[in-house]
């Protein structure tokens, strides 16, 4: 939900959000909502501020329907999903992450290049959020703690494997519409990067299989 206090304005949203096809201004705001729910103490909501202006206190007029419902386990999403990883320093930074892997009911695996700023930030501040909008009406924000599980991935020494232990799963689905597909991208090079990505994802999936 949107909250006042340290809430970032539209200009800040544009500054911190990557230019992603399919990620609207509302979607970018949803990423910051995920961040604020995890990193900020409760503040007055838009509804509460309106009521206070009318002379009523938040306690008297609090509307719990503004809270997001939560999921008990992570949903399944398509393999080629592009997620959004939010880290902090303490301001929020959001980057696209290619093909996040569902590693269990409350675990996600991703690969990050060793020189990414997000990797440095999560090492210092492991509280992170992953927003996933995917086909099959997947619309959720997973909030939890990031852990580096491999400093060098097999056959991809410049990539680091990160596990996110999920503590809260915010359900952003709405009855008025369904998510038909998530953020999309087109490979522009000779597909060598795509082959490398498939290799990293295969490695992450193999670790899950070996654990099970």
């Amino acid at each position: 939900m949107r909250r006042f206090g340290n809430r970032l304005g539209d200009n800040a949203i544009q500054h911190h959000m990557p230019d992603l096809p399919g990620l609207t201004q509302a979607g970018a705001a949803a990423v910051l909502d995920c961040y604020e729910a995890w990193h900020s103490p409760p503040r007055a909501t838009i509804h509460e501020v309106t009521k206070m202006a009318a002379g009523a206190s938040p306690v008297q007029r609090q509307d719990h329907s503004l809270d997001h419902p939560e999921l008990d386990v992570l949903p399944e999403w398509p393999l080629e999903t592009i997620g959004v990883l939010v880290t902090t320093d303490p301001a929020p930074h959001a980057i696209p992450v290619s093909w996040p892997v569902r590693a269990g009911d409350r675990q996600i695996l991703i690969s990050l290049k060793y020189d990414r700023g997000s990797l440095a930030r999560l090492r210092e501040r492991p509280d992170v959020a992953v927003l996933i909008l995917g086909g099959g009406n997947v619309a959720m924000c997973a909030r939890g703690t990031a852990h580096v599980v491999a400093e060098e991935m097999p056959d991809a020494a410049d990539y680091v494997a990160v596990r996110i232990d999920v503590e809260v799963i915010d359900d952003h689905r709405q009855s008025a519409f369904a998510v038909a597909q998530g953020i999309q991208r087109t490979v522009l090079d000779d597909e060598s990067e795509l082959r490398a990505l498939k290799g990293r994802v295969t490695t992450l999936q193999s670790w899950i299989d070996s654990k099970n």
Side-chain angles (χ1 to χ4, degrees):
M1 70 178 67
R2 294 197 173 209
R3 295 183 179 275
F4 287 88
N6 291 332
R7 175 71 190 180
L8 297 178
D10 289 345
N11 291 337
I13 291 174
Q14 294 171 354
H15 173 74
H16 289 287
M17 296 299 139
D19 183 13
L20 295 176
L23 185 63
T24 63
Q25 184 79 3
V31 176
L32 289 180
D33 285 340
C34 292
Y35 159 77
E36 288 182 339
W38 194 232
H39 296 277
S40 300
R43 298 184 178 92
T45 64
I46 293 173
H47 177 78
E48 292 166 351
V49 170
T50 302
K51 293 301 182 181
M52 283 190 287
S57 70
V59 175
Q60 292 171 327
R61 300 295 184 89
Q62 185 176 7
D63 184 356
H64 294 284
S65 66
L66 294 176
D67 294 334
H68 286 303
E70 295 179 5
L71 299 173
D72 293 328
V73 300
L74 292 168
E76 302 280 351
W77 54 80
L79 173 65
E80 297 181 2
T81 295
I82 307 297
V84 178
L85 171 68
V86 182
T87 56
T88 64
D89 70 350
H93 296 260
I95 64 166
V97 286
S98 299
W99 301 16
V101 175
R102 185 186 186 277
D105 289 345
R106 284 183 172 262
Q107 282 189 344
I108 299 172
L109 291 174
I110 59 175
S111 59
L112 293 175
K113 201 167 184 180
Y114 75 95
D115 58 354
R116 292 303 298 259
S118 291
L119 179 61
R121 284 187 290 273
L122 68 81
R123 290 183 191 274
E124 293 294 323
R125 298 172 180 265
D127 288 344
V128 301
V130 178
L131 175 70
I132 293 181
L133 303 174
N137 198 26
V138 177
M140 66 90 183
C141 179
R143 297 181 273 129
T145 306
H147 307 272
V148 171
V149 294
E151 292 289 352
E152 295 184 1
M153 296 188 64
D155 301 319
D158 54 344
Y159 277 83
V160 175
V162 176
R163 185 189 74 238
I164 299 166
D165 294 328
V166 177
E167 299 177 31
V168 180
I169 309 168
D170 294 320
D171 185 1
H172 290 281
R173 292 174 298 175
Q174 298 185 25
S175 60
F177 59 83
V179 178
Q181 63 181 20
I183 301 166
Q184 301 293 302
R185 70 177 188 176
T186 301
V187 177
L188 300 178
D189 61 9
D190 60 0
E191 298 196 357
S192 60
E193 176 58 29
L194 181 59
R195 288 194 298 272
L197 172 59
K198 289 180 178 178
R200 296 195 301 274
V201 169
T202 297
T203 297
L204 296 177
Q205 291 173 329
S206 70
W207 291 348
I208 301 170
D209 294 338
S210 63
K211 183 181 69 172
N212 296 334

